[in-house]
Amino acid sequence: MATIYLDHSATTPVDPEVLDAMLPYYRGQYGNASSIHQAGRAARQAIDEAREQVAIAIGAAPEEIYFVSGGTEADNLALRGYVEQSGNTRNGSHIITSKIEHHAVLHTAAKLARQGKPVTYCGVDGDGVIDLGELADGIRDDTVLISVMLANNEVGTIEPLREIREIIGDRRIALHTDAVQALGEMDINVDELGVDMMSLSAHKVYGPKGIGALYVRKGTRFSAQIVGGGHERNKRAGTENVPGIAGFGKACELILRDGCENRARVAALRDRLVAGILERVEDAHYNGHPENRIPKNASLCFRGCEGEALLLHLDFMGICASSGSACTSQSLEPSHVLAAMGVPIEIAHGVLRLTLGKDSTQQEIDTAIDAVAEVVAKIRRISAAIEI
Ligand code: PLP
């Protein structure tokens, strides 16, 4: 039985071209980029090239890109690094974020709150769009940072970052966005969005795991959170993961080359998947914004089904899916995102996230529609029998 992988928001396969770009730095060119000899210089050059490739993908300058170990570290560095730095120069330390952020932001914000930095969590509407009125009202004299994700990892909704920038106006408040799920799924330009910091991760865009980047606008000051050597211009110590960085750079180059075409194809397949499921399954709800959403995401809830049961049955049929974020799919807690969107708990428990990739095929999608319809019917039959 061939596996149908519909969990591209959890992670993606490494593109063969990306792997080819990485292999030289595991084999012949294994130098440490800090070494002055030729092996070191080759590694340094690979990092410089990748920094440029990542920068181009988001409309930034290379010197605004800091390589880190992934999206989680980028979020930690943005929040902790910025708040720590602003604590040195300003009185304020108030942060505003949304209730639907990834735990990399939410848990970092909670930790800062325990350290005495006040945090305001803004709500969202039923489509998962941040309440801009609440955000505007939440701004205080001591607000230093607003962190709102560009695209939600569970329901795919794209957040109105440009409008948030307009609300901030010329106040001295930095705007950070977690763009881990948005990269590759939409055109991204840091100037058009008006963001000061942006978190990125390679393994969501056909790059390797364990590498990511934080974009920091020139002039925005932040404190290193991992200290040691002078790597990444003293902002992130540790010998650089040269193969990973080279792979991330290549993955970004491929986004610019193939991204538009892939997105259009994936969006059409996603729409086919959602329409097929909604047609075949009664009492199913499509989560997230109907239009302003990333192409790969289809999040659905099925009343009377347990998300875990859905996943296990689908897995048995060779379909890899998720109940929300990969990090919470082990827990029976209802998703904080669906809760913030006001989805009733009994419906939120039956959530299924199917996320498509550039290699997904129409045949896979049609098989998935059949499988979901069959599994939901089966689980509902079993639940009805138990209730009797
Ligand atoms: N932010 C978002 C929105 C994510 O979806 C993820 C991963 O699922 C992360 C951050 C964490 O990224 P990484 O796995 O590279 O640490």
Side-chain angles (χ1 to χ4, degrees):
M1 178 176 58
T3 299
I4 298 179
Y5 186 80
L6 291 175
D7 201 12
H8 290 83
S9 271
T11 197
T12 55
V14 173
D15 187 287
E17 286 188 63
V18 168
L19 188 60
D20 284 347
M22 297 172 67
L23 286 176
Y25 304 99
Y26 283 118
R27 292 187 174 134
Q29 296 175 11
Y30 46 77
N32 183 323
S34 299
S35 302
I36 57 166
H37 48 63
Q38 50 179 295
R41 290 200 305 276
R44 172 62 50 206
Q45 198 185 333
I47 294 175
D48 290 346
E49 269 172 31
R51 202 183 301 283
E52 202 165 325
Q53 287 164 318
V54 174
I56 291 171
I58 59 167
E63 60 275 15
E64 295 174 313
I65 302 296
Y66 298 86
F67 287 115
V68 296
S69 66
T72 301
E73 190 187 330
D75 286 341
N76 270 264
L77 180 56
L79 270 68
R80 289 155 63 166
Y82 188 79
V83 169
E84 186 181 315
Q85 176 65 41
S86 55
N88 297 338
T89 52
R90 293 175 60 185
N91 281 331
S93 56
H94 175 236
I95 304 161
I96 299 179
T97 187
S98 83
K99 289 183 180 166
I100 63 161
E101 297 299 306
H102 189 271
H103 284 126
V105 166
L106 286 180
H107 289 171
T108 305
K111 187 161 187 185
L112 287 166
R114 287 195 296 279
Q115 292 165 357
K117 325 282 184 208
V119 181
T120 298
Y121 298 92
C122 286
V124 295
D125 67 13
D127 291 334
V129 180
I130 190 163
D131 183 332
L132 291 175
E134 203 180 316
L135 182 131
D137 292 345
I139 295 178
R140 319 188 322 196
D141 288 345
D142 63 342
T143 305
V144 291
L145 175 67
I146 296 180
S147 177
V148 174
M149 66 202 324
L150 187 49
N152 182 264
N153 47 305
E154 294 192 25
V155 298
T157 300
I158 296 171
E159 299 298 331
L161 264 295
R162 186 65 243 168
E163 283 88 333
I164 296 175
R165 176 83 261 167
E166 275 160 24
I167 289 170
I168 292 174
D170 52 15
R171 280 179 272 221
R172 271 181 69 202
I173 299 172
L175 179 58
H176 164 251
T177 191
D178 175 337
V180 166
Q181 294 289 344
L183 185 65
E185 294 290 300
M186 57 192 280
D187 290 338
I188 297 183
N189 183 292
V190 288
D191 290 337
E192 275 167 24
L193 291 171
V195 296
D196 302 297
M197 293 182 281
M198 177 181 279
S199 301
L200 304 168
S201 176
H203 74 102
K204 311 287 186 181
V205 292
Y206 306 91
K209 294 169 183 60
I211 188 72
L214 180 67
Y215 153 80
V216 183
R217 184 175 292 281
K218 200 162 172 260
T220 304
R221 298 178 62 176
F222 68 107
S223 299
Q225 298 300 302
I226 295 181
V227 291
H231 311 88
E232 296 297 291
R233 286 145 293 142
N234 289 317
K235 294 301 189 192
R236 202 286 189 174
T239 301
E240 297 91 341
N241 169 2
V242 183
I245 291 172
F248 189 17
K250 187 69 181 181
C252 286
E253 187 190 302
L254 297 184
I255 289 172
L256 290 183
R257 194 187 72 190
D258 308 330
C260 269
E261 208 183 307
N262 287 339
R263 275 178 234 156
R265 218 180 59 79
V266 166
L269 282 179
R270 189 268 320 274
D271 291 346
R272 182 184 179 97
L273 175 68
V274 173
I277 292 175
L278 293 180
E279 199 185 296
R280 299 268 301 274
V281 184
E282 267 178 38
D283 222 347
H285 309 258
Y286 187 27
N287 303 312
H289 196 281
E291 287 108 38
N292 285 337
R293 60 188 302 139
I294 49 174
K296 67 181 166 188
N297 177 291
S299 167
L300 296 127
C301 284
F302 304 98
R303 188 188 283 277
C305 282
E306 197 48 68
E308 297 293 302
L310 282 167
L311 293 188
L312 291 174
H313 278 86
L314 288 173
D315 186 36
F316 195 65
M317 296 168 89
I319 297 176
C320 300
S322 159
S323 59
S325 75
C327 323
T328 49
S329 57
Q330 306 281 322
S331 94
L332 286 174
E333 283 283 299
S335 136
H336 67 284
V337 175
L338 296 178
M341 287 163 60
V343 178
I345 197 161
E346 67 279 8
I347 296 178
H349 266 303
V351 67
L352 178 68
R353 183 186 72 176
L354 300 165
T355 44
L356 290 72
K358 64 188 171 83
D359 297 322
S360 298
T361 64
Q362 189 169 311
Q363 202 187 346
E364 286 182 335
I365 294 310
D366 291 345
T367 306
I369 295 170
D370 290 343
V372 170
E374 190 184 320
V375 163
V376 171
K378 194 170 174 181
I379 294 173
R380 283 177 175 167
R381 266 199 316 274
I382 296 168
S383 311
I386 292 169
E387 274 165 27
I388 292 168

